[in-house]
Amino acid sequence: MIGQTLALKGLEKRYENAVAVDGVSLVIRAGEFLSVLGPSGSGKTTLLTMIAGFENPSSGQIMIGPQDVTFVAPNKRNIGMVFQRYALFPHLTVAANIAFPLRMRHMSESLIRPKVEAALAQVHLGDYGNRYPHQLSGGQQQRVAVARAIIFEPPVLLMDEPLGALDKKLRETLQLEIKGLQQRLGATVVYVTHDQEEAMTMSDRVAVVANGRLAQVGSPLELYRSPVSAFVGDFIGRMNFLEAEYLGLENGNHMVRLRGGNVVSTAPADDDVSAFSLGRAISVAVRPERLSLAPHGRDRGAILTGTVDAAVFAGSFFLFFVRTQTGNNRLLQIQMPVGHAAATLRRGDLIDVIAESNALRLFAKTEA
């Protein structure tokens, strides 16, 4: 299997009173695993169904390699598809389900059998060919669906929340199996999910979608460390947002006064600082693991003072919820290692909040 480049150019899908996909342009490289991540109603599934050919775009173009497939029938696009609900034929055996795409292509039976055996081996179901779907677990059925999608060696493989119906432990196991299989086959994969952890674990790049548009495209690390908007920062992992007043530049640093706290320096979300004027209300974002706590008065570098509202033990770390005068009625979340001295803090303790260097990011005012 050799993956091909998939290019979307100005893709739009409009309905009478709504725009589901709004001008999406994106190139998915040959052999790349790209996840399309977004909340319900963001347009990610509509985007996938247009690539598959189940929906025609209102405008724009879809290219697979050098071929324009924008209005080509689904069965002529040579695309593999894996659905959340498996979509297996209940009256066919596992082997017959997997062989179905080859029989539809009129391949000889002498060639089909070894291909089915190889596909079963790839998804670790070598002895299950004679069983029926109802005799399999959910995870096994999904493996069959994957085997059926890859058996005809499509250059592009589309997956629409394929693990959404499985329990957490099985889902995590199959995430690694699907990613390993994709790497061995070299297929180009577009994987739709609303699960940020799933997207971050499996993907070479992630395309975050909001209101039918691409909010940001980048590697999981880029999205986590350098979100370009408050929406992306809040959607990818935990993020605290603090209300602040913009005070301007000082020695190259952007200075803000936190509501209920001190004057601190922040890093802008991008190089365009013209959007921030003196005295403007803005948001400062910071990840929970880049904050720490200390008993009140022990650290002169504190950015805020507050009280511990709750401390949750999460195995390798404590997650503290701290009540401060930050202005948005959300408790500040702070993640600290179990062995840290602050782990002895309890509800009601007066504490100071300390931020790591360059941990704070500046965004336009948000209600997030």
Side-chain angles (χ1 to χ4, degrees):
M1 182 183 295
I2 300 175
Q4 285 191 309
T5 300
L6 173 63
L8 313 178
K9 301 178 181 180
L11 210 58
E12 293 188 2
K13 182 62 181 180
R14 297 185 297 272
Y15 299 100
E16 288 186 3
N17 299 315
V19 178
V21 175
D22 190 2
V24 170
S25 294
L26 178 64
V27 176
I28 299 104
R29 299 183 287 266
E32 181 177 28
F33 195 117
L34 178 124
S35 287
V36 181
L37 175 68
S40 297
S42 61
K44 58 187 185 296
T45 295
T46 303
L47 186 65
L48 197 75
T49 55
M50 285 193 290
I51 298 171
F54 302 140
E55 290 262 15
N56 286 329
S58 303
S59 61
Q61 190 178 35
I62 303 168
M63 303 286 296
I64 298 178
Q67 183 183 7
D68 185 342
V69 298
T70 309
F71 297 105
V72 173
N75 62 318
K76 302 294 185 182
R77 297 192 183 197
N78 202 31
I79 288 177
M81 187 84 190
V82 181
F83 302 92
Q84 180 176 352
R85 295 296 177 182
Y86 321 138
L88 301 178
F89 300 112
H91 63 290
L92 296 181
T93 65
V94 165
N97 265 282
I98 295 172
F100 183 80
L102 302 182
R103 293 198 171 103
M104 292 296 292
R105 289 164 171 79
H106 307 293
M107 183 177 287
S108 68
E109 291 298 322
S110 62
L111 295 176
I112 288 177
R113 182 170 181 175
K115 284 184 172 291
V116 170
E117 290 176 352
L120 283 167
Q122 285 178 325
V123 296
H124 310 294
L125 291 174
D127 297 328
Y128 288 75
N130 292 325
R131 298 193 188 187
Y132 287 85
H134 73 272
Q135 296 174 310
L136 305 179
S137 68
Q140 290 168 339
Q141 290 185 56
Q142 195 57 286
R143 286 189 176 96
V144 174
V146 170
R148 184 179 60 185
I150 66 174
I151 195 168
F152 61 96
E153 300 182 352
V156 175
L157 184 61
L158 308 180
M159 296 188 168
D160 187 10
E161 306 209 34
L163 308 181
L166 306 178
D167 64 74
K168 186 176 187 298
K169 189 171 183 179
L170 180 57
R171 193 164 66 241
E172 291 172 350
T173 298
L174 288 183
Q175 285 170 10
L176 297 177
E177 289 188 8
I178 289 173
K179 178 62 177 176
L181 182 63
Q182 180 263 340
Q183 291 175 328
R184 292 196 300 273
L185 298 175
T188 303
V189 173
V190 181
Y191 189 101
V192 164
T193 181
H194 66 274
D195 186 326
Q196 55 178 268
E197 185 176 332
E198 188 168 87
M200 302 289 271
T201 299
M202 303 176 72
S203 311
D204 299 313
R205 287 190 301 159
V206 178
V208 181
V209 180
N211 299 318
R213 297 182 178 182
L214 292 178
Q216 187 173 355
V217 182
S219 71
L221 188 60
E222 288 170 345
L223 295 181
Y224 191 81
R225 287 186 173 177
S226 304
V228 298
S229 67
F231 168 79
V232 175
D234 198 33
F235 195 72
I236 301 291
R238 294 189 180 97
M239 182 71 89
N240 295 297
F241 289 95
L242 313 174
E243 290 187 6
E245 176 190 358
Y246 185 66
L247 302 179
L249 286 169
E250 183 176 304
N251 298 324
N253 295 320
H254 298 274
M255 308 303 295
V256 301
R257 178 180 288 108
L258 297 177
R259 180 171 177 177
N262 298 325
V263 174
V264 297
S265 62
T266 69
D270 51 45
D271 294 330
D272 183 14
V273 298
S274 61
F276 305 109
S277 55
L278 291 177
R280 177 177 176 176
I282 49 87
S283 284
V284 175
V286 58
R287 298 285 184 194
E289 69 273 15
R290 303 200 68 184
L291 296 173
S292 58
L293 301 179
H296 180 56
R298 291 190 185 178
D299 195 310
R300 295 184 178 180
I303 62 171
L304 291 165
T305 297
T307 56
V308 176
D309 191 85
V312 178
F313 176 64
S316 61
F317 62 87
F318 276 98
L319 187 62
F320 290 93
F321 294 86
V322 173
R323 191 172 299 280
T324 65
Q325 295 179 346
T326 52
N328 58 10
N329 297 317
R330 293 178 73 176
L331 295 174
L332 198 64
Q333 298 183 48
I334 300 168
Q335 180 178 315
M336 298 182 65
V338 169
H340 195 280
T344 60
L345 293 172
R346 296 293 180 264
R347 177 182 174 87
D349 287 351
L350 185 64
I351 50 83
D352 290 332
V353 179
I354 301 99
E356 293 180 4
S357 176
N358 298 319
L360 308 179
R361 294 185 63 79
L362 185 62
F363 293 107
K365 183 77 166 59
T366 176
E367 298 304 321

